[in-house]
Amino acid sequence: MAVSMETFAQWKNTTLEKLDQSRKGSVDERARHVVCLLNSQERFFTTSSCSGRIVLMDGPPEGGVVQKKDCRWLFISHDPCRSEDLVSALSRSSGEAVLKFEAFVLHVQCHRLEDAQLLHSVAVNSGFRNSGLTVSRSGKIIMAVRSTHGLEVPLSHGGKLLVGAEYVHFLTQKANQKMEENFRRIHRSVRCPLPGRLKNSTASETLLRFFQILQAALTAESPDLQRAEDPAVTPGEQENQAAVYRRRRKRQQSQTHAERDEEDSCSLDDCLDLFS
Amino acid sequence: MAVSMETFAQWKNTTLEKLDQSRKGSVDERARHVVCLLNSQERFFTTSSCSGRIVLMDGPPEGGVVQKKDCRWLFISHDPCRSEDLVSALSRSSGEAVLKFEAFVLHVQCHRLEDAQLLHSVAVNSGFRNSGLTVSRSGKIIMAVRSTHGLEVPLSHGGKLLVGAEYVHFLTQKANQKMEENFRRIHRSVRCPLPGRLKNSTASETLLRFFQILQAALTAESPDLQRAEDPAVTPGEQENQAAVYRRRRKRQQSQTHAERDEEDSCSLDDCLDLFS
């Protein structure tokens, strides 16, 4: 069902040639290495990315449907921020201000379904548990990398601040912690387990990160996913990739209400115990 | 790449025969009609569902990796709740209490990729924009229905409440509003547009809901998705289904950082302007 590689390459060229229409006008520095790694492979190209951000939005006073044009940006930061800046931004609220931490988001178009499956495994194993595929009837396959790691705190009503500066300071710390953990998930190397140790790894050993796992997976695909142009796969690398899939299968089994209870809600600050 | 219908039917029987392992021990009443509709079709079965809930979790004091076993449930409600009950539950916090609103979640195993695509279109068009597919190498195709509609508010630190009762009252109202909107998205009929009117519908006319769109889509699939066992499709129904796909294609085009800005962040309380 995959389109030809020629068609895919045309889509890729068209997309990457477009000017970045984002508010920032460029790929976020902290996501650049992931974006570059993916775009260097002919079977992938990225269509959007955001490394993560802390935002303060001012919505209109209650009473009707929220329209995009009625919202105002009071504050935005792609790095950890200072509570003084948030307090200052909050003073400009005239409606319903909401503080949000939004984690890393990445959309990747993939040539074949197998390519998207591989990327999905990598994303879920890196802690981006709300990742998923979109498959269009025209053959476009998009993998969206999404986290469950968020923060969404309403702070004002009718322009009136509902909390004290001390609480805003506390929230700033929380948002900054989530930002740092988000960055670690994207690219930092923290006790990355050796191939073959994944199955019995402890919670602290599961600090697997998207970039490392992606690098490993792209160069060590299991036999039935491997392409002619890929480098030779060593037995150790095969085990590494097989472990990625084992974990994924484990996660797919018997998803229940109870599982949501345990995994989504208990992981208040962190999902580091994802595979423990 | 789909497994045989016999294999799929076996998986379905095995899954549906299992006792519901959820905390509640049953399918949530408010999601039951959606679950029943899907399970009545041979090409689908649900593997988990939660109609939406307001929860108050108490995490351990800061300083380490959060482990599931260290978290406590202080409060849970699948219906709108009273702020007095939240204040009372908060008084039992001894660590880091966090109030969350978690929207409708549904996992559906689908026979063919086309079945999952149809369901994905329905979900996104109903406002569940973080929905996505998971495809395993063994041929299991899961569609996860997920919302962007949340709330996640840290409220205590080391057991000490950081906000006043008035703010908890305000948050309760916000959580209850989100719960009501969530229920409307799942199943209520609010000015559901007539077939053929989708394209030019206004914001208020886009209050399309999962159940209605699902019902319409299942009985009115477009020609290339239609199955022998499906009822005959009228031209009006075809237009309805075609509109579902048009909207989805529109959403898939040029996903950029700017789009996240406009869609995710501006829709503070609501995503009712999703297609406007």
Side-chain angles (χ1 to χ4, degrees):
Chain A
M1 64 155 284
V3 297
S4 71
M5 186 47 95
E6 288 67 35
T7 301
F8 187 79
Q10 282 174 357
W11 287 344
K12 181 167 180 170
N13 285 338
T14 305
T15 302
L16 298 185
E17 276 171 6
K18 277 183 198 164
L19 284 175
D20 188 331
Q21 299 296 317
S22 76
R23 178 172 289 261
K24 278 188 76 180
S26 62
V27 173
D28 295 342
E29 196 52 50
R30 305 216 192 219
R32 187 180 296 278
H33 59 315
V34 172
V35 167
C36 288
L37 176 61
L38 286 166
N39 287 331
S40 73
Q41 298 257 326
E42 69 175 345
R43 58 185 146 161
F44 297 120
F45 62 91
T46 59
T47 62
S48 73
S49 65
C50 174
S51 62
R53 60 189 186 181
I54 296 166
V55 293
L56 189 63
M57 298 293 302
D58 207 25
E62 284 181 302
V65 172
V66 175
Q67 297 284 342
K68 294 173 198 167
K69 62 180 168 47
D70 298 328
C71 293
R72 276 198 309 148
W73 293 76
L74 297 177
F75 180 83
I76 180 165
S77 172
H78 288 77
D79 293 293
C81 67
R82 300 188 317 151
S83 64
E84 304 90 292
D85 296 334
L86 279 176
V87 169
S88 165
L90 272 169
S91 69
R92 297 196 299 278
S93 166
S94 57
E96 310 281 312
V98 178
L99 177 70
K100 286 189 183 185
F101 167 70
E102 298 176 331
F104 179 52
V105 167
L106 179 69
H107 291 92
V108 186
Q109 193 162 329
C110 309
H111 179 219
R112 302 178 311 167
L113 193 59
E114 296 92 310
D115 301 324
Q117 287 175 270
L118 175 70
L119 207 54
H120 187 252
S121 292
V122 169
V124 171
N125 284 338
S126 306
F128 297 103
R129 298 202 316 254
N130 278 357
S131 300
L133 281 63
T134 300
V135 182
S136 81
R137 294 198 295 180
S138 64
K140 290 191 177 173
I141 302 167
I142 305 269
M143 228 301 285
V145 179
R146 291 188 211 96
S147 177
T148 55
H149 219 225
L151 197 67
E152 182 165 346
V153 187
L155 288 174
S156 72
H157 179 57
K160 186 190 164 205
L161 190 60
L162 301 168
V163 297
E166 197 179 339
Y167 182 63
V168 176
H169 182 69
F170 173 76
L171 285 179
T172 308
Q173 288 179 312
K174 286 282 176 192
N176 288 344
Q177 283 168 9
K178 284 174 188 278
M179 181 76 93
E180 293 292 353
E181 172 53 27
N182 173 64
F183 291 153
R184 277 195 292 274
R185 282 190 193 182
I186 299 175
H187 62 94
R188 280 193 196 161
S189 172
V190 183
R191 299 181 66 190
C192 190
L194 297 171
R197 287 177 59 201
L198 293 169
K199 211 173 175 182
N200 301 311
S201 58
T202 66
S204 62
E205 282 177 331
T206 56
L207 297 167
L208 309 176
R209 300 301 172 224
F210 190 72
F211 187 67
Q212 282 100 18
I213 307 180
L214 182 61
Q215 274 189 318
L218 290 179
T219 56
E221 293 191 42
S222 57
D224 63 319
L225 281 182
Q226 200 179 5
R227 293 229 179 146
E229 69 263 30
D230 287 335
V233 178
T234 68
E237 287 170 332
Q238 281 187 8
E239 169 61 22
N240 193 5
Q241 174 58 19
V244 166
Y245 277 103
R246 271 201 306 274
R247 292 157 158 276
R248 180 177 165 193
R249 281 199 300 277
K250 185 184 164 200
R251 291 196 48 71
Q252 282 177 341
Q253 288 162 0
S254 64
Q255 289 177 308
T256 65
H257 203 134
E259 222 176 66
R260 166 166 170 169
D261 291 351
E262 289 184 6
E263 295 188 352
D264 290 355
S265 302
C266 278
S267 306
L268 293 179
D269 281 285
D270 221 309
C271 302
L272 302 181
D273 59 342
L274 186 59
F275 306 116
S276 61
Chain B
M1 65 155 285
V3 298
S4 71
M5 186 47 94
E6 288 67 34
T7 301
F8 187 78
Q10 282 175 357
W11 286 344
K12 181 168 181 170
N13 285 338
T14 306
T15 302
L16 298 186
E17 276 170 7
K18 278 182 197 164
L19 284 174
D20 189 332
Q21 299 297 316
S22 76
R23 178 172 289 262
K24 279 188 76 181
S26 62
V27 172
D28 295 342
E29 196 53 49
R30 306 217 191 219
R32 188 181 295 278
H33 58 316
V34 172
V35 168
C36 289
L37 177 60
L38 286 165
N39 287 331
S40 73
Q41 299 257 326
E42 69 175 347
R43 57 185 145 160
F44 297 120
F45 62 92
T46 59
T47 61
S48 73
S49 65
C50 174
S51 62
R53 60 189 186 182
I54 296 165
V55 293
L56 190 64
M57 298 294 301
D58 206 26
E62 283 181 304
V65 172
V66 176
Q67 296 285 341
K68 294 173 199 169
K69 61 179 168 52
D70 298 329
C71 293
R72 277 198 308 147
W73 292 77
L74 297 177
F75 180 84
I76 180 165
S77 173
H78 288 76
D79 293 293
C81 67
R82 300 187 318 151
S83 64
E84 302 91 293
D85 296 334
L86 279 175
V87 169
S88 166
L90 272 168
S91 68
R92 299 195 298 278
S93 166
S94 59
E96 310 280 312
V98 178
L99 178 71
K100 285 189 183 184
F101 167 70
E102 298 177 331
F104 179 51
V105 167
L106 180 69
H107 291 92
V108 187
Q109 194 162 329
C110 310
H111 179 218
R112 302 178 311 166
L113 193 59
E114 296 92 310
D115 301 324
Q117 286 175 272
L118 175 70
L119 207 54
H120 187 252
S121 292
V122 168
V124 171
N125 284 338
S126 306
F128 296 102
R129 296 200 316 251
N130 277 357
S131 300
L133 280 63
T134 300
V135 182
S136 82
R137 294 197 295 178
S138 63
K140 289 190 178 174
I141 303 166
I142 304 268
M143 227 301 287
V145 178
R146 291 189 211 96
S147 176
T148 55
H149 221 223
L151 197 67
E152 182 165 346
V153 186
L155 288 174
S156 72
H157 179 57
K160 186 192 163 205
L161 190 60
L162 300 168
V163 297
E166 197 178 340
Y167 181 62
V168 176
H169 182 69
F170 173 75
L171 285 179
T172 308
Q173 288 179 312
K174 286 282 176 192
N176 288 344
Q177 283 167 9
K178 284 174 187 280
M179 180 77 93
E180 293 292 354
E181 172 54 27
N182 174 64
F183 290 153
R184 276 195 292 275
R185 282 190 193 183
I186 299 174
H187 63 94
R188 280 195 195 159
S189 172
V190 183
R191 299 182 67 188
C192 189
L194 297 171
R197 287 177 59 201
L198 293 168
K199 209 173 174 182
N200 300 311
S201 58
T202 66
S204 63
E205 281 176 332
T206 56
L207 298 167
L208 309 176
R209 301 299 173 227
F210 191 71
F211 188 67
Q212 282 100 19
I213 307 181
L214 182 61
Q215 273 190 318
L218 291 179
T219 55
E221 294 191 44
S222 55
D224 62 321
L225 282 183
Q226 199 178 4
R227 292 220 179 154
E229 68 264 30
D230 287 336
V233 177
T234 67
E237 287 170 332
Q238 282 188 7
E239 168 61 22
N240 194 4
Q241 174 58 19
V244 166
Y245 277 103
R246 272 202 305 277
R247 288 155 162 279
R248 177 176 166 194
R249 281 199 300 277
K250 185 184 162 200
R251 289 196 48 72
Q252 283 178 339
Q253 289 163 1
S254 63
Q255 289 176 307
T256 66
H257 203 136
E259 222 177 67
R260 166 166 168 168
D261 291 352
E262 288 184 7
E263 296 187 354
D264 289 354
S265 302
C266 278
S267 306
L268 294 178
D269 280 284
D270 219 310
C271 302
L272 301 180
D273 60 342
L274 185 59
F275 306 117
S276 61

